[in-house]
Amino acid sequence: MTILQKISQSLQDGHVEEVKELVEAALTEGYSAGDILSGGLVAGMEVIGQRFKTGELFIPEVLLRAGAMHAGLDLLEPHLSKSKSDQLPKIVIGTVAGDIHDIGKNIVGMMLRGVGFQVIDIGINCPPEKFVEAAREEDVKIVALSALLSTTMPKLAETITALKEAGITKKTKTIVGGAPVSQAYATEIGAAGYAPDAGAAIDLVRELLSEEND
Amino acid sequence: MNSQRTYHGDTNPYNILSGSDVRKIQEAVFQLMEEIGIKFDAETRAMKLLSQAGCKITADGTVHFPTNLVENSLRTAIKSVKLWDRSEEDYIEFNNQNTIMVAGNTCTDIIDYRTGKARSGSIDDLATTVKLADGLANIDAVGGPIKLVDESNVAGQIKEFVTSAVNTNKPLMYVSDDVQPLSAAIEIGSIIRGGTKQLKERPYFGYLISPQPLSFSKNHIDQIYLCVENGIPIVSASMGVGGASTPITIAGNVVHCLATDFAIIVMSELIQTGSFCACSSVPAFMNPADGLLGGFPETILAEQARCQVLRDMGLPLGGSAAGIGGGRNYLDGHNISLAALFMMGACYSQPGLCFGLGSINLMNSFSLHALVYCNELVGWVRRMWDGIQVNEDTLALDVTRAVEPGAGYMAEMHTALHCRTEIWKPDCLFTFGMDDSAGDGGPDQMIQHLDERLHEVLNSHQPQPLPASVARQISEIQHKYGAEF
């Protein structure tokens, strides 16, 4: 087993300290940070993502492993080049204005972060302008909006309108989710996508990003 | 309504916890409130109030409640309140001896009862659902079954209140996300009662406040002030999601929910001694596999524990989410079974109110058929609560002496005298006498029976109209808030 495979396996087993030791060892052996990231950490998280999808792993268990990945990533960060290929895709996520519930947002955010995306969490009760401001940051690929309450669901539409008016949606895609939200509602308000749960959100983000790359 | 009826009869609630476990939970709640504290928006008038009462407040807005303050507040808060119907002819008692059955709770979709398809709810849909709730005998109050998603929040929520008030004489359980619709509801309630003092004396609606567990925003604090100052009974309705916003363990989740409820009681008592708050925060659970709501048996267990702990403290119980199915769009087998299981959970825990009746898809869609079904389930549960009368007459030795062994009891006076009181009469389901000749008795057949009853109520029932002068004054309030129809 190569050291990159060991990193991947250790990550899958959720061993934080071992992942850190192996990442440090790989750097010492002369592996590039980019190779360790893709061949070790991201490869491991891919397997974890699959095991989550099949129901073998539960969300808290995935998050435990995501913690191990980020421990490794922290060690790689100073060595990663600033080239786009080494940069993880950026996603802005937040709960819309009037809604202080963050469970769904947090689960999706943590899962996306866990499988290798850069997640900018702008918090709860976010007015449309806060989403617009965050999405203006360079290279944000996706803006994810969450609403738990039926009373705050209309704010999803208001936020998407504000993002459109600010010209954000030309380069960035919006996705929506939350207990009262449905695919029909997402389509009605012009969202690029809707996901009913965290697992589906990961698939949706990957699908939208691959469309962009095609 | 049933002001004279003791819903729980002589039956005892199911006590799932030992006495020492009840004590442990109570102590953990006090310990959490005092040592760990509860987060409050630091920029609110509540901070001064809490500080003056002896709470320690850290710079980030965490409030540490001294146990003696909490205990005093629980002692001085009133334990029972009467919620009067619109015409003040009858009331329901909100305490820990009754269960108020509430139709709906802000569903974004309605299942069109003619087509079976889900769509956004309209004012007309809301009027129809409220009218149906008004016509169903086992439904005690109406909780805004439909959320008008195409309206702005303030205007939409005021219209929701007015539409409910117009289409039912029953008391309301109101929820909004802001103080403005609540202010409007108080003004409208005062018009219906003939003044603010009268509204305080005879509350027309209860108000659900839903903070995050252990965390109060300015909005929620303002809602508490407004309710207490106007005598509106509060239903504290936070929702702990075990594994996400609260601990995944049942006991830990219950502790968080109770601490959130008790914080509202303390706040209310500091604003005005002798206020009313029903502890209604629901300990729900995250399904660890997908992050959505799950853990339904655990939710029912937690409800039983929560109700037992509160009952032990003599505090008014709030609600259980009952009659709530999990299916996505229709009153299918999944929804039917979940609604029945939740209702049986409530049967054992005997909460102060059951809300969400008629809601499916975890309270996101409203089904009129589901409401008729829940009305039937409530009848069943109330029969269970009526319990068993054991006395000389019901032991029936006299009639047994009179009837030859092996002979029948059908023509006996004893049977005739008891046949209406001893045996519950279902409204439209749960009998072997149902005419299933047209089908195989499966779910579709059941829907057909519900459908017939639904149409019967909608075609024959007329809600008591609002007096014209009251309707005119309400229109003026709507105009003031930009919420005209």
Side-chain angles (χ1 to χ4, degrees):
Chain A
M1 196 184 272
T2 67
I3 193 160
L4 296 185
Q5 287 169 327
K6 281 182 188 168
I7 291 171
S8 168
Q9 188 57 53
S10 183
L11 183 63
Q12 291 170 49
D13 296 338
H15 297 149
V16 180
E17 289 309 315
E18 194 177 74
V19 167
K20 282 160 71 175
E21 285 166 20
L22 287 166
V23 167
E24 275 174 343
L27 285 168
T28 309
E29 281 181 29
Y31 283 92
S32 76
D35 286 347
I36 299 170
L37 178 63
S38 59
L41 297 177
V42 172
M45 286 311 293
E46 287 287 342
V47 177
I48 290 163
Q50 282 304 317
R51 288 173 67 193
F52 167 66
K53 219 170 162 180
T54 58
E56 193 187 333
L57 285 178
F58 286 170
I59 288 175
E61 294 162 339
V62 173
L63 297 178
L64 205 69
R65 286 157 177 78
M69 177 190 159
H70 282 277
L73 196 57
D74 286 347
L75 296 172
L76 292 181
E77 212 114 57
H79 305 278
L80 285 168
S81 69
K82 299 297 170 206
S83 74
K84 276 199 171 178
S85 59
D86 275 355
Q87 298 293 308
L88 301 168
K90 228 179 258 181
I91 297 166
V92 166
I93 192 166
T95 306
V96 294
D99 204 325
I100 55 164
H101 298 88
D102 58 2
I103 295 173
K105 167 187 74 70
N106 289 349
I107 292 173
V108 172
M110 285 191 280
M111 293 294 284
L112 288 170
R113 198 174 280 131
V115 295
F117 296 104
Q118 283 188 78
V119 177
I120 303 163
D121 186 341
I122 59 170
I124 55 172
N125 192 17
C126 300
E129 52 274 24
K130 194 167 178 185
F131 280 99
V132 170
E133 191 187 326
R136 282 193 200 283
E137 189 170 323
E138 196 191 347
D139 232 18
V140 168
K141 303 286 185 199
I142 305 273
V143 178
L145 316 174
S146 168
L148 176 85
L149 302 174
S150 53
T151 51
T152 55
M153 204 170 80
K155 295 288 178 191
L156 293 172
E158 281 180 37
T159 307
I160 288 180
T161 304
L163 287 164
K164 277 182 185 159
E165 285 172 1
I168 305 288
T169 48
K170 286 178 192 156
K171 65 174 184 70
T172 306
K173 289 176 173 157
T174 53
I175 61 173
V176 293
V181 185
S182 63
Q183 179 62 60
Y185 183 72
T187 307
E188 185 187 318
I189 63 174
Y194 156 79
D197 57 46
I202 293 169
D203 290 344
L204 175 65
V205 166
R206 284 183 169 149
E207 191 186 311
L208 291 172
L209 291 178
S210 73
E211 277 172 17
E212 190 190 55
N213 294 333
D214 288 344
Chain B
M1 288 198 296
N2 301 281
S3 58
Q4 301 306 313
R5 184 173 167 189
T6 305
Y7 298 142
H8 299 157
D10 295 327
T11 56
N12 293 317
Y14 176 50
N15 287 330
I16 194 165
L17 300 169
S18 67
S20 69
D21 284 346
V22 168
R23 268 353 128 245
K24 280 184 203 164
I25 289 176
Q26 290 164 349
E27 283 163 17
V29 175
F30 291 133
Q31 196 177 348
L32 186 158
M33 294 181 78
E34 181 150 2
E35 292 176 17
I36 302 166
I38 293 178
K39 197 82 176 280
F40 277 68
D41 188 323
E43 302 300 315
T44 61
R45 52 188 164 158
M47 300 314 247
K48 193 176 169 193
L49 195 70
L50 291 163
S51 168
Q52 284 173 342
C55 295
K56 285 185 187 151
I57 301 173
T58 57
D60 66 347
T62 303
V63 177
H64 299 266
F65 292 81
T67 297
N68 64 345
L69 172 67
V70 182
E71 285 175 335
N72 279 339
S73 301
L74 299 183
R75 202 163 27 246
T76 56
I78 58 169
K79 310 296 187 291
S80 181
V81 73
K82 286 175 182 165
L83 212 53
W84 288 83
D85 63 22
R86 196 185 65 199
S87 60
E88 296 183 68
E89 289 159 11
D90 208 349
Y91 59 83
I92 42 179
E93 284 201 86
F94 203 166
N95 53 34
N96 61 8
Q97 278 127 33
N98 303 309
T99 300
I100 299 173
M101 296 292 176
V102 186
N105 197 0
T106 61
C107 296
T108 51
D109 284 346
I110 186 158
I111 311 299
D112 189 308
Y113 71 96
R114 297 176 194 88
T115 65
K117 305 283 183 207
R119 56 176 172 74
S120 294
S122 66
I123 290 265
D124 289 344
D125 292 323
L126 178 58
T128 306
T129 56
V130 174
K131 181 182 164 185
L132 177 66
D134 193 63
L136 293 172
N138 288 324
I139 304 299
D140 302 314
V142 175
I146 306 290
K147 160 74 189 153
L148 304 171
V149 289
D150 293 333
E151 301 271 358
S152 77
N153 274 341
V154 171
Q157 285 164 6
I158 294 171
K159 289 180 191 178
E160 287 160 24
F161 186 88
V162 175
T163 305
S164 296
V166 168
N167 287 284
T168 182
N169 190 46
K170 294 177 179 178
L172 306 183
M173 284 290 168
Y174 187 48
V175 58
S176 69
D177 70 338
D178 204 348
V179 288
Q180 255 191 305
L182 173 58
S183 297
I186 291 168
E187 287 182 54
I188 293 165
S190 300
I191 289 167
I192 287 171
R193 283 286 179 266
T196 50
K197 186 171 166 282
Q198 290 86 338
L199 180 64
K200 270 188 185 180
E201 287 168 359
R202 292 192 162 190
Y204 165 53
F205 66 94
Y207 187 75
L208 276 74
I209 295 180
S210 317
Q212 288 272 60
L214 310 185
S215 177
F216 288 84
S217 69
K218 180 179 183 304
N219 193 18
H220 291 118
I221 293 166
D222 288 344
Q223 290 174 36
I224 295 170
Y225 269 95
L226 205 50
C227 283
V228 174
E229 286 164 355
N230 289 280
I232 305 298
I234 293 175
V235 180
S236 74
S238 179
M239 183 164 152
V241 182
S245 62
T246 51
I248 199 164
T249 47
I250 295 173
N253 197 351
V254 168
V255 166
H256 279 232
C257 287
L258 291 174
T260 309
D261 291 343
F262 289 2
I264 295 185
I265 293 179
V266 174
M267 276 275 307
S268 303
E269 286 305 288
L270 291 176
I271 296 166
Q272 193 168 306
T273 308
S275 56
F276 179 88
C277 172
C279 301
S280 191
S281 292
V282 177
F285 292 88
M286 177 185 80
N287 178 354
D290 58 19
L292 304 177
L293 278 183
F296 299 130
E298 292 79 10
T299 302
I300 292 171
L301 277 171
E303 267 300 290
Q304 289 171 348
R306 198 182 66 83
C307 288
Q308 186 183 348
V309 171
L310 289 165
R311 196 175 278 111
D312 181 77
M313 301 174 93
L315 293 168
L317 304 171
S320 287
I324 296 167
R328 195 63 186 166
N329 280 328
Y330 196 59
L331 187 60
D332 56 12
H334 190 200
N335 280 311
I336 288 166
S337 57
L338 267 180
L341 288 166
F342 269 114
M343 192 62 82
M344 283 314 290
C347 179
Y348 288 116
S349 57
Q350 298 187 351
L353 61 87
C354 281
F355 57 86
L357 303 184
S359 307
I360 60 172
N361 180 21
L362 295 174
M363 299 186 87
N364 291 314
S365 307
F366 192 88
S367 157
L368 280 80
H369 289 95
L371 184 62
V372 178
Y373 175 58
C374 287
N375 182 66
E376 193 79 335
L377 290 178
V378 174
W380 177 307
V381 167
R382 284 188 168 148
R383 174 62 191 95
M384 301 288 285
W385 285 336
D386 280 345
I388 304 168
Q389 298 294 314
V390 180
N391 54 44
E392 197 178 335
D393 184 33
T394 60
L395 287 168
L397 289 181
D398 283 347
V399 68
T400 306
R401 274 188 207 101
V403 175
E404 203 177 308
Y409 287 80
M410 207 178 288
E412 292 300 317
M413 178 59 79
H414 185 269
T415 308
L417 287 174
H418 287 279
C419 69
R420 287 185 182 276
T421 54
E422 195 77 1
I423 308 298
W424 169 61
K425 185 178 180 297
D427 204 26
C428 62
L429 295 176
F430 307 134
T431 70
F432 286 110
M434 293 194 303
D435 177 14
D436 288 339
S437 55
D440 60 4
D444 289 346
Q445 199 67 34
M446 177 180 158
I447 298 293
Q448 189 184 316
H449 288 292
L450 295 172
D451 195 56
E452 285 164 9
R453 182 75 182 111
L454 164 60
H455 280 89
E456 189 185 325
V457 176
L458 289 181
N459 292 334
S460 63
H461 180 71
Q462 277 307 323
Q464 193 173 322
L466 267 178
S469 64
V470 171
R472 195 173 51 251
Q473 289 177 76
I474 289 176
S475 297
E476 287 166 14
I477 300 286
Q478 287 182 261
H479 179 71
K480 188 173 104 180
Y481 284 92
E484 303 95 328
F485 289 121

